Amino acid sequence: MKGAPRARAIAEAVAGGEDPGRYARAALRAAQADTLNCFLHLDPDAVEAQIAGINPQAPLAGVPVALKDNLMDAGQPCGCASRILEGYRASYDATVVARLRDAGAVILGRTNMDEFAMGSSTENSAYGPTRNPHDPTRTPGGSSGGSGAAVAAGICPVALGSETGGSVRQPASLCGVVGLKPTYGRVSRRGLVAFASSLDVVSPFGVDVRDTARIMSVIAGFDPGDPTSLDAPVGNLEAACDRGVAGLKIGIIQECTGEGIEPGVSAALADAARALTDAGASLATVSLPSSPFALAAYCVLAPAEASSNLARFDGIRYGRRAEAESLADLYVRTRSEGFGPEVQRRILLGTFALSAGYADRYYATAQGMAARITREMTAALGEFDLLFCPTSPTVAFPLGARAADPLAMYLADIFTVPASLAGLPAISVPCGRALGLPVGAQLTGPKLGEATLLAAAAVIEAALG
Ligand code: GLN
């Protein structure tokens, strides 16, 4: 595992005259031989076509990158691991895909995910779950589990996923790789299939912190094609990885300690805290009293937005169309056959939460709670440079263990959802093992604070990675 060369080493080799197709072809062979179900689609001709156009001096020259199946790559399938999008092909490149290609990267293929990014294990994929490379009987996490597992399995050094409530940080933690959720708006959403638009962020995985910084530098930055895109300079994120944490104040989130966390996870987090202290940071406990309600708020807000966003999959405009007698019948049949149970559950919940008479009770209350959590986190980040907690309360759980219990599945996101609701950047970095499986430490920063996150993650990585 982690056997593939780093993205930095590949780009350097290609700049130095190495065959620009060497690493992408090797990655393609590894992806074709993959037994973990990381990939839903591979296109060797498309890989060759991209190799032909590589600028050897570009920052990701010759670097293979896996793409979650909800990011558009013109001409390729984009199915969100859903039957309803069977046969659909993307009509344009997502901004992040165009930026990756301009940077010399080779899009390797499309990775498995929970259907429409709803889930924490990839078991909601219409095409079967992905398996964790550290133990194939266990989940890689989700929803971006295919991308996380592809990096952990050494198929490619970097990959893209998407985050709405933890879908890159949680699989990064369970797979033992780095996952960065950028500030909301930091990376363009143009060409990302929408789940909950006010929360969605395209987010990178990396085999280490510096590779994560390299791909983040390429995809981040203003895009006039996304109305929520932030117009702010990205800076040199790779140089930030060498800054260290001397003098930084880091707040340990009190509500994310103790009960409900596996003892091995707590022990690994204690090691990560020690690594930060040893490197010159000062750590103290901070309370976010409303954070225990974040998950409940998320479970109203995300389905509410999803119920509206997914209305476009009606059997007329995209992908699959059911046989039917009337238009209404066509909608009902297409959506009943095309969407899996979790997606149907969320559309129903979201529609209910927005319906007249209930919108104030549920949707407005959840919005109020999200605002409160944002205020508490912003205040804590006035006092501290970063906040610290586990990414996931558990290590990778066995496939099947939570598949029939949506509430148990939602609990996987308990520590990742607060930063999502607040639109703040957060990173998961490996900090050791428990029960022989990877554990991730999570750091959350202020708006546009990605550089500080990477600096602190690099300190943890150096001590425990
Ligand atoms: N696991 C969470 C959910 O099921 C988060 C998903 C995500 O971030 N896309 O909604």
Side-chain angles (χ1 to χ4, degrees), residues 117-120 143 163-167 195 298 346 413:
M118 298 177 187
S120 305
S143 65
E163 273 257 4
T164 303
S167 276
F195 164 9
Y298 173 82
R346 296 207 194 184
D413 307 321

Side-chain angles (χ1 to χ4, degrees), residues 336-408:
S336 303
E337 293 168 10
F339 288 134
E342 180 64 21
V343 175
Q344 295 199 23
R345 181 180 298 120
R346 296 207 194 184
I347 291 172
L348 291 169
L349 273 172
T351 306
F352 176 77
L354 289 174
S355 57
Y358 294 101
D360 278 348
R361 197 153 133 203
Y362 296 110
Y363 186 70
T365 307
Q367 272 194 316
M369 184 51 72
R372 212 150 105 184
I373 290 161
T374 306
R375 281 197 298 276
E376 287 176 12
M377 294 187 89
T378 308
L381 286 162
E383 198 182 331
F384 294 93
D385 297 291
L386 297 173
L387 304 177
F388 175 87
C389 69
T391 308
S392 159
T394 70
V395 294
F397 46 92
L399 288 166
R402 301 191 192 181
D405 183 350
L407 291 181

Side-chain angles (χ1 to χ4, degrees), residues 11-320:
E12 199 178 310
V14 170
E18 176 63 84
D19 168 11
R22 175 177 162 186
Y23 300 95
R25 289 190 193 105
L28 180 64
R29 284 193 295 276
Q32 285 166 331
D34 162 49
T35 55
L36 301 167
N37 199 26
C38 295
F39 288 89
L40 296 179
H41 184 77
L42 295 165
D43 181 342
D45 293 339
V47 167
E48 282 305 323
Q50 294 174 89
I51 289 170
I54 292 172
N55 163 12
Q57 303 307 322
L60 291 175
V63 175
V65 181
L67 213 60
K68 188 177 183 179
D69 195 31
N70 60 355
L71 286 162
M72 307 234 287
D73 178 359
Q76 294 294 323
C78 181
C80 300
S82 179
R83 298 259 176 234
I84 209 162
L85 278 168
E86 254 168 19
Y88 173 72
R89 283 182 181 257
S91 52
Y92 65 93
D93 278 342
T95 298
V96 289
V97 169
R99 287 189 181 175
L100 283 173
R101 249 190 225 117
D102 286 348
V106 178
I107 307 297
L108 185 60
R110 311 198 53 81
T111 58
N112 198 16
M113 57 186 281
D114 287 294
E115 185 179 6
F116 284 103
M118 298 177 187
S120 305
S121 70
T122 69
E123 290 167 290
N124 296 333
S125 167
Y127 305 102
T130 297
R131 296 174 177 278
N132 190 313
H134 296 270
D135 176 352
T137 67
R138 292 175 188 262
T139 176
S143 65
S144 314
S147 286
V151 173
I155 295 172
C156 48
V158 285
L160 290 188
S162 66
E163 273 257 4
T164 303
S167 276
V168 163
R169 283 166 287 160
Q170 186 256 11
S173 177
L174 272 46
C175 288
V177 299
V178 178
L180 171 65
K181 183 199 96 73
T183 307
Y184 179 77
R186 182 57 127 164
V187 179
S188 171
R189 287 185 293 119
R190 183 169 186 270
L192 166 68
V193 177
F195 164 9
S197 313
S198 75
L199 306 171
D200 295 342
V201 194
V202 177
S203 304
F205 289 96
V207 67
D208 64 16
V209 174
R210 285 170 176 80
D211 269 9
T212 309
R214 168 105 21 139
I215 187 170
M216 177 64 187
S217 311
V218 166
I219 61 172
F222 180 64
D223 174 16
D226 170 359
T228 55
S229 175
L230 297 174
D231 193 356
V234 177
N236 188 338
L237 297 177
E238 264 179 275
C241 296
D242 298 321
R243 263 192 221 163
V245 292
L248 289 190
K249 288 174 73 182
I250 300 179
I252 301 173
I253 304 174
Q254 192 181 334
E255 288 75 11
C256 306
T257 57
E259 207 192 333
I261 302 173
E262 287 177 353
V265 170
S266 297
L269 263 287
D271 292 341
R274 208 166 308 119
L276 292 168
T277 315
D278 289 349
S282 62
L283 273 68
T285 302
V286 59
S287 175
L288 300 175
S290 301
S291 61
F293 306 109
L295 190 58
Y298 173 82
C299 288
V300 172
L301 297 174
E305 292 192 36
S307 70
S308 163
N309 274 326
L310 271 58
R312 71 190 61 159
F313 303 110
D314 55 5
I316 305 290
R317 285 175 277 197
Y318 305 94
R320 183 187 174 111

